[in-house]
């Protein structure tokens, strides 16, 4: 299995809703990442988990809350989002912290906040 | 000045042509270099990964790194319409620093 699987593929949520994005990999990778990508822009790093511990938080607002239940799973909990948070949310993993051997990205969750 | 500069295009070439995509960078600490292909509304797909200066070939794709000039390239031979996508260069310092730095991406269209 050489994939990163993200669910759901599409999500529409109101500004008062609580929802979660899920990411799963079974490649034995020990680092997992959340990225946010706006249209025609490169991905922007949000969070890094290394060996199931949060190692980087790129000053992301608290309405985004990551969780790493185990080495294969990564969640992103969403609460009280704003319309400007609408974007493609990408999960990625790498063999080791540092991603020296390249990152594997999922297909993303396209989030629309209304 | 951005750490990584990439011409956003768009770039349109006829089918069968050789495509050259380029990035320059300013931080000599970058050690690992990658090229990603991203189709519309999909996640980035790792195409090539290189470490040392020189060329690395994989099928129709060749990645070139010149660390002395801080310049990387991706060449696509015998380009196909299915190569139409956005190509992102990316690089990382490694040694436990987990932040991947992307170029802005070049939108490429191969015209049949």
């Amino acid at each position: 299995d050489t994939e990163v699987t993200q669910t759901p593929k599409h999500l529409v949520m109101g500004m008062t809703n609580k929802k979660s994005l899920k990411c799963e990999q079974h490649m034995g990778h020990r680092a997992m990442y959340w990225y946010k990508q706006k249209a025609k822009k490169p991905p922007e790093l949000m969070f890094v988990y290394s060996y199931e511990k949060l190692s980087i938080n790129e000053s992301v607002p608290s309405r985004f809350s990551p969780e790493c239940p185990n080495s294969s799973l990564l969640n992103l909990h969403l609460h009280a989002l704003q319309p400007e948070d609408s974007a493609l949310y990408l999960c990625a993993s790498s063999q080791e912290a540092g991603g020296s051997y390249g990152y594997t990205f999922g297909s993303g969750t396209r989030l629309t906040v209304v | 000045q951005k750490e990584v500069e990439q011409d956003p295009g768009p770039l349109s070439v006829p089918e069968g042509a050789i495509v050259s995509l380029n990035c320059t960078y300013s931080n000599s600490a970058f050690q690992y270099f990658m090229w990603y292909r991203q189709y519309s509304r999909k996640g980035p797909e790792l195409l090539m990964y290189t470490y040392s200066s020189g060329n690395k070939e994989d099928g129709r794709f060749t990645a070139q790194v010149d660390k002395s000039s801080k310049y990387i390239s991706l060449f696509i031979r015998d380009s196909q319409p299915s190569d139409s996508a956005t190509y992102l260069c990316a690089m990382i310092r490694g040694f436990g620093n987990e932040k991947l730095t992307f170029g802005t991406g070049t939108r490429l269209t191969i015209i049949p």
Side-chain angles (χ1 to χ4, degrees):
Chain A
D1 187 352
T2 58
E3 288 187 346
V4 173
T5 303
Q6 288 187 246
T7 55
K9 293 193 183 308
H10 302 275
L11 179 62
V12 179
M13 61 184 291
M15 289 188 284
T16 59
N17 290 160
K18 284 185 181 180
K19 296 286 184 183
S20 296
L21 309 184
K22 297 186 182 301
C23 175
E24 190 168 0
Q25 59 88 14
H26 295 288
M27 294 177 281
H29 288 178
R30 301 317 302 263
M32 296 184 77
Y33 312 81
W34 280 114
Y35 280 82
K36 173 183 176 180
Q37 187 176 27
K38 302 284 271 186
K40 299 186 180 181
K41 298 288 187 183
E44 296 176 11
L45 182 65
M46 299 175 72
F47 302 104
V48 179
Y49 272 84
S50 178
Y51 290 85
E52 301 162 50
K53 293 192 185 329
L54 184 65
S55 63
I56 292 181
N57 176 338
E58 288 285 291
S59 302
V60 178
S62 60
R63 57 186 184 268
F64 295 91
S65 175
E67 178 196 18
C68 188
N70 60 55
S71 60
S72 299
L73 295 174
L74 187 65
N75 299 322
L76 186 63
H77 303 297
L78 314 172
H79 175 54
L81 295 193
Q82 303 297 310
E84 59 264 30
D85 296 321
S86 299
L88 181 68
Y89 287 84
L90 294 162
C91 175
S93 69
S94 63
Q95 188 172 7
E96 58 181 43
S100 306
Y101 297 99
Y103 289 28
T104 301
F105 282 86
S107 292
T109 294
R110 186 158 298 279
L111 174 68
T112 303
V113 181
V114 297
Chain B
Q1 183 187 7
K2 289 182 182 177
E3 280 192 295
V4 180
E5 299 277 359
Q6 182 177 9
D7 186 341
L11 179 63
S12 295
V13 300
E15 183 176 354
I18 296 175
V19 176
S20 173
L21 304 166
N22 310 296
C23 287
T24 59
Y25 61 97
S26 57
N27 190 342
S28 58
F30 287 128
Q31 298 292 326
Y32 302 91
F33 305 91
M34 303 158 209
W35 285 96
Y36 286 89
R37 176 175 64 194
Q38 187 171 23
Y39 292 113
S40 181
R41 309 178 82 83
K42 297 289 187 183
E45 171 193 2
L46 181 64
L47 281 178
M48 300 287 284
Y49 155 82
T50 55
Y51 168 68
S52 56
S53 284
N55 294 351
K56 180 177 180 180
E57 190 173 316
D58 184 0
R60 296 185 296 112
F61 299 93
T62 299
Q64 189 174 78
V65 173
D66 183 346
K67 288 186 176 180
S68 62
S69 301
K70 299 189 184 67
Y71 188 91
I72 68 171
S73 299
L74 178 71
F75 298 96
I76 307 174
R77 291 185 299 280
D78 186 25
S79 55
Q80 304 294 313
S82 58
D83 295 327
S84 298
T86 296
Y87 289 79
L88 296 147
C89 66
M91 46 199 79
I92 196 167
R93 282 171 278 181
F95 305 108
N97 182 291
E98 299 94 341
K99 189 168 182 177
L100 191 62
T101 301
F102 284 94
T104 51
T106 299
R107 179 169 286 192
L108 172 68
T109 300
I110 306 299
I111 304 166

